[in-house]
Structures are given as structure tokens and as C-alpha cells.
């Protein structure tokens, strides 16, 4: 799997210097607006420091996928709607098994059944039928098989495709690479700022990394329209991003 790495532009950098007893100067250098939260002044160190945010990303080629489909049927009776939906799902699952898909890679939901009403302007609601639906999620361990499984779904009567998510098999490895790129980016910015103000960059004083808000994000890039060839999924890429906030001391 081919991987490229790069660092994103500076988003927001702060340079602040404190006198021994009180704040002497405050200089903010802003390249672009950002939603990144930095420590408040109450939590700030009592020595000169530079606070930076590092960004990193890794471009990976997907090698697996997960897709979700749904069959929906509306009929006059609840039994007819249920039987139609169950028949389609059963046929789809059987064809997937014949194609070599393991049972553990397929998850189907229970039947969802609801009455359908017509609401006239005057008068009581009128029952006009029932709507039944079931969802099926399939994990595709070999991306080359994705289109085959989608064709099976359509051929068996599945009438909705809810989601197609391209993935990488070893996502943790790419997340780690993106994180290391973010760390390098944060240090490079801090070193450049310290040098520009004729100071020496000191040790790391604080690192802020929120695994929930800063969790690497999978972003799919794929040129695809109605005329796209069937192998377009294999030509797509995934961008995995991460960020880290770091505070460095500045040597006097």
C-alpha cells in the first residue's frame, strides 16, 4: 500500500512572554482562524513559552470496505410487507454465502414494520397500508469484490444503498504515522518562531492531545459519477489526519 506524508500549513501560533511577577507582553501571531483551544492564562507557565498546534496527514490506498443496504416494501397488509422483505434479505444472504462471504462479515437487522396513514384535511387518519424494512451490513475484506457484492444486492431486490465506507486494513499504523507527522509539524513551527525572535527552543512543557476530538479522520477522495468504471473504488485514496497541541519553553 502506497503512503505519502505531508504537514499542513500553520493554523494558529501564540508567542507569549511573562516577567517574573506580571505579564509583560503578549504577542499573538495568527495565520488563519482556528477552532483549536489552548490553555487559559490561569494555566499558563510563569516563564517565556511558545504554544503551537501541529498537523499531520497520511494518504493511504483502501484495501477493504463496509457497505450498508436496505430493502423497503409498502403493501396493503403487514404480513405481505413482512414476507416480501424477508424473502429479499434471505435471497441476498444466500447469494453472499455462495460468493464466499463468511457469516461473521454480514449483519442483518430485525424487521421494522410500521402502519402508513393518509391524513385528509377533514376527518380521521385513514390506514392505507404497511411499510416494512430491514438493513444489511457487509464487510468486504477484499476491495476488488465490492462491486460484485453490490451487484448481488441489486439483483436480489435490495432497493436502497445507504452507505459505502472505504477502509484500510491496518488503520492503527496509519494513525500513528499521521500523529508523528503532527508532532514534527508542531516542533518545526516552534523552532522557526524561536529562531525568528532570536531565542533558543527549550524543552516541552505541556502536550494536549484529546483522543476523542483529535481522533484521526478518514476522508475519502474518489472521482466517481454515473459513467465511472467499475474499478473506481480501487483507484480511490483515504486521508488520515491528526493534530497535537504543544507548549515549549523558550531559553533566555
Amino acid at each position: 500500500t502506497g503512503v505519502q506524508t505531508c504537514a499542513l500549513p500553520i493554523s494558529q501560533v501564540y508567542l507569549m512572554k511573562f516577567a517574573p511577577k506580571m505579564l509583560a507582553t503578549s504577542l499573538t501571531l495568527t495565520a488563519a482562524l482556528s477552532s483549536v483551544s489552548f490553555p487559559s492564562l490561569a494555566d499558563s507557565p510563569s516563564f517565556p513559552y511558545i504554544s503551537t498546534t501541529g498537523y499531520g496527514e497520511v494518504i493511504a490506498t483502501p484495501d477493504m470496505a463496509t457497505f450498508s443496504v436496505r430493502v423497503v416494501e409498502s403493501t396493503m397488509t403487514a404480513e405481505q410487507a413482512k414476507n416480501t422483505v424477508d424473502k429479499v434479505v434471505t435471497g441476498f444472504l444466500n447469494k453472499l454465502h455462495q460468493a464466499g462471504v463468511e457469516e461473521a462479515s454480514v449483519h442483518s437487522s430485525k424487521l421494522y414494520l410500521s402502519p402508513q396513514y393518509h391524513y385528509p384535511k377533514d376527518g380521521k387518519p385513514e390506514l392505507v397500508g404497511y411499510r416494512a424494512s430491514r438493513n444489511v451490513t457487509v464487510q468486504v475484506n477484499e476491495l476488488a469484490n465490492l462491486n460484485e457484492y453490490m451487484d448481488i444486492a441489486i439483483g436480489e431486490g435490495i432497493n436502497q444503498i445507504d452507505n459505502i465506507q472505504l477502509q484500510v486494513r491496518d488503520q492503527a499504523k496509519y494513525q500513528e504515522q499521521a500523529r508523528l507527522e503532527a508532532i514534527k509539524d508542531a516542533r518545526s513551527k516552534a523552532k522557526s518562531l524561536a529562531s525568528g525572535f532570536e531565542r533558543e527552543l527549550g524543552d516541552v512543557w505541556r502536550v494536549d492531545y484529546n483522543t476523542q476530538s483529535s481522533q484521526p479522520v478518514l476522508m475519502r477522495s474518489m472521482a466517481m459519477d454515473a459513467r465511472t468504471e467499475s474499478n473506481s473504488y480501487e483507484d480511490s485514496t483515504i486521508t488520515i489526519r491528526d493534530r497535537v497541541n504543544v507548549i515549549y519553553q523558550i531559553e533566555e
Side-chain angles (χ1 to χ4, degrees):
T1 301
V3 176
Q4 305 170 3
T5 59
C6 60
L8 302 180
I10 295 176
S11 174
Q12 191 174 39
V13 180
Y14 291 85
L15 173 66
M16 310 185 82
K17 180 175 181 180
F18 288 84
K21 295 183 178 181
M22 62 180 292
L23 177 65
T25 60
S26 178
L27 175 63
T28 302
L29 305 178
T30 305
L33 293 177
S34 174
S35 60
V36 178
S37 298
F38 288 85
S40 63
L41 292 178
D43 299 329
S44 299
S46 59
F47 49 80
Y49 70 91
I50 291 177
S51 180
T52 64
T53 298
Y55 296 88
E57 69 175 33
V58 173
I59 309 299
T61 301
D63 51 15
M64 60 184 299
T66 298
F67 71 91
S68 299
V69 295
R70 180 187 306 179
V71 55
V72 180
E73 183 67 26
S74 295
T75 61
M76 291 299 298
T77 67
E79 183 179 5
Q80 184 180 2
K82 174 186 180 303
N83 291 340
T84 300
V85 169
D86 285 343
K87 181 179 179 181
V88 171
V89 171
T90 299
F92 178 46
L93 297 180
N94 288 338
K95 284 295 182 66
L96 287 178
H97 179 70
Q98 294 174 13
V101 179
E102 298 181 357
E103 184 176 348
S105 298
V106 182
H107 302 278
S108 60
S109 70
K110 295 181 179 179
L111 180 76
Y112 177 78
L113 185 66
S114 62
Q116 304 295 295
Y117 292 93
H118 169 65
Y119 296 91
K121 293 182 179 179
D122 299 320
K124 297 181 179 180
E126 301 173 359
L127 179 65
V128 295
Y130 291 85
R131 183 176 186 268
S133 65
R134 283 184 66 181
N135 297 334
V136 180
T137 301
V138 182
Q139 178 178 305
V140 184
N141 294 319
E142 297 296 335
L143 190 59
N145 296 330
L146 176 57
N147 284 292
E148 177 188 353
Y149 300 159
M150 298 286 288
D151 290 341
I152 291 176
I154 295 173
E156 290 301 310
I158 298 292
N159 48 26
Q160 289 189 22
I161 298 176
D162 291 337
N163 181 54
I164 301 174
Q165 182 180 6
L166 302 183
Q167 302 167 329
V168 287
R169 199 175 309 279
D170 192 358
Q171 182 179 329
K173 178 183 70 175
Y174 296 111
Q175 289 180 348
E176 176 68 13
Q177 292 179 5
R179 188 175 301 115
L180 292 176
E181 288 300 314
I183 294 171
K184 292 179 183 178
D185 184 45
R187 179 170 178 78
S188 176
K189 293 172 182 175
K191 188 174 181 180
S192 175
L193 284 168
S195 176
F197 286 95
E198 299 180 350
R199 296 297 180 90
E200 292 292 330
L201 190 65
D203 294 333
V204 173
W205 180 77
R206 176 170 174 169
V207 176
D208 288 325
Y209 183 78
N210 190 321
T211 56
Q212 294 181 347
S213 63
S214 299
Q215 187 69 17
V217 178
L218 293 180
M219 300 186 67
R220 194 184 81 190
S221 174
M222 181 172 65
M224 184 175 179
D225 57 27
R227 297 166 297 176
T228 304
E229 296 296 332
S230 61
N231 64 351
S232 60
Y233 292 110
E234 299 174 72
D235 299 330
S236 61
T237 60
I238 296 177
T239 301
I240 303 175
R241 294 175 175 169
D242 205 358
R243 78 182 186 199
V244 62
N245 303 324
V246 186
I247 295 179
Y248 292 90
Q249 300 181 34
I250 302 177
E251 301 293 341
E252 294 284 359

